[in-house]
Amino acid sequence: VNEPPFLEISVSCDNLRCDGDGQPPSPRVSVHVISSPQSAWIHYAQTEVIERTSNPNFLSTVSFRKGDGLDASTQVRLSVYDVRERVTNTVTQLGQATVTLGSLRETCRSRLSLQSPLGRNVGFITIIAWTLEPESVDASSHTPSNATPHHQPAAPPTVCHRRTQSLPPRLNTKSRHPTQGHLSLLYDNPTMATFRFHSGLGGDIAVLEVMAESRYCFTFPQQLLRLWISEERRWQEELSSLGDLSDQWHTRQMALLNQHVTLINIYNMALDTLDVAAHSGTVQDSAL
């Protein structure tokens, strides 16, 4: 979670074709990557669904990290789908475009034609790319007191495009990836999502959402189940140590022994399930 992506992109589409009834689509963009011609396309990320528009501007961004085996030569395929039904995930592909991460990093802004499965132009997709730097732990470096000294030349301003004629250009600041500190010590299996909102003040608002499983979400239930199993076995041994009893008390003794054996089996099954889930990391209900 503390690894800054070497490239992050936001996407938007325009002039997407309507269906046969003249209704605009509900588009969603799926991102696939491939690192070598011998490998297969891998589904890497996807945006949210925007209802009924031919000119969607997606808020969710896509972050590319070197830890996923990606580099400048990695090819990226952006496929635009019309989501007809969310519950059943019924979709229809409108078109797709392919580009490399290296070209996105060099151009920063690309407008590509979307080609349908039949080879027709069905609209355009605009990709805005930027790089991120790790956030400095020294918070004072962002304060006005640490301005550029007079004996050092100021950094040249960054040339950025104007998003619209009505908004000012972007602020001349670099995007930074916030550090999560010691989050990995207490949580595991992190899932991250990033969003970017346009602001009329000249700078975009970036949001990083992190969801993770607590490392103790299995430890406490496992220890509790082991305590219950130990306690049930202790009661089982105590009942067995009573020896031969009369018919009435013997019947009661056997019923209690069967009850303790049943509980021990139930606790062992639950403990085995937690052990398997803890090693596979499939439980998502304890997400933060």
Side-chain angles (χ1 to χ4, degrees):
V1 293
N2 290 321
E3 177 192 1
F6 72 93
L7 190 68
E8 187 174 351
I9 65 172
S10 64
V11 296
S12 61
C13 300
D14 62 276
N15 297 318
L16 296 179
R17 288 194 175 184
C18 301
D19 57 15
D21 298 329
Q23 296 294 327
S26 297
R28 181 185 68 194
V29 178
S30 295
V31 180
H32 293 75
V33 296
I34 185 172
S35 298
S36 63
Q38 293 76 19
S39 58
W41 288 97
I42 301 175
H43 183 266
Y44 191 77
Q46 67 181 22
T47 65
E48 75 277 12
V49 179
I50 299 183
E51 296 287 347
R52 299 301 178 187
T53 177
S54 294
N55 303 287
N57 188 10
F58 300 96
L59 299 180
S60 57
T61 64
V62 181
S63 301
F64 299 97
R65 288 179 168 80
K66 293 184 178 180
D68 297 330
L70 308 180
D71 53 26
S73 62
T74 301
Q75 289 188 335
V76 181
R77 186 177 67 192
L78 299 102
S79 303
V80 182
Y81 292 92
D82 179 15
V83 181
R84 299 296 183 89
E85 175 59 46
R86 292 200 183 200
V87 178
T88 60
N89 196 28
T90 303
V91 298
T92 302
Q93 188 185 82
L94 299 177
Q96 64 182 21
T98 304
V99 68
T100 63
L101 289 179
S103 61
L104 289 178
R105 192 171 185 175
E106 291 176 0
T107 57
C108 294
R109 186 179 189 273
S110 304
R111 187 171 184 262
L112 307 176
S113 173
L114 291 171
Q115 299 296 320
S116 69
L118 299 178
R120 299 175 180 174
N121 184 9
V122 293
F124 299 90
I125 183 169
T126 301
I127 309 169
I128 300 176
W130 61 90
T131 57
L132 288 89
E133 294 183 353
E135 189 176 50
S136 175
V137 296
D138 185 9
S140 62
S141 62
H142 301 285
T143 59
S145 59
N146 282 346
T148 304
H150 295 288
H151 62 276
Q152 293 183 358
T158 304
V159 179
C160 296
H161 69 279
R162 296 180 70 92
R163 295 191 301 276
T164 65
Q165 294 298 326
S166 60
L167 292 179
R170 293 183 178 179
L171 299 177
N172 297 328
T173 58
K174 294 183 178 180
S175 300
R176 299 187 180 275
H177 180 76
T179 58
Q180 303 302 322
H182 301 290
L183 181 68
S184 58
L185 297 179
L186 300 177
Y187 298 93
D188 204 355
N189 298 324
T191 299
M192 292 175 289
T194 54
F195 307 90
R196 202 168 186 88
F197 306 86
H198 292 312
S199 171
L201 301 178
D204 293 340
I205 302 174
V207 178
L208 173 64
E209 179 187 71
V210 179
M211 299 180 66
E213 296 175 356
S214 172
R215 290 181 178 268
Y216 303 106
C217 64
F218 296 109
T219 303
F220 290 152
Q222 286 172 330
Q223 291 182 354
L224 188 61
L225 286 170
R226 292 189 181 98
L227 289 175
W228 289 348
I229 292 173
S230 177
E231 187 174 353
E232 292 297 329
R233 286 175 177 171
R234 183 175 62 83
W235 283 108
Q236 186 181 12
E237 294 175 357
E238 194 168 323
L239 285 171
S240 300
S241 65
L242 295 177
D244 296 334
L245 302 175
S246 61
D247 294 341
Q248 179 181 1
W249 289 107
H250 179 71
T251 303
R252 180 61 176 167
Q253 180 188 26
M254 296 305 298
L256 290 175
L257 285 173
N258 291 332
Q259 180 179 353
H260 290 302
V261 170
T262 302
L263 288 175
I264 290 174
N265 292 333
I266 293 175
Y267 294 155
N268 278 323
M269 292 176 59
L271 186 59
D272 292 340
T273 302
L274 286 177
D275 289 339
V276 173
H279 287 88
S280 61
T282 56
V283 172
Q284 301 293 337
D285 295 336
S286 58
L288 173 63

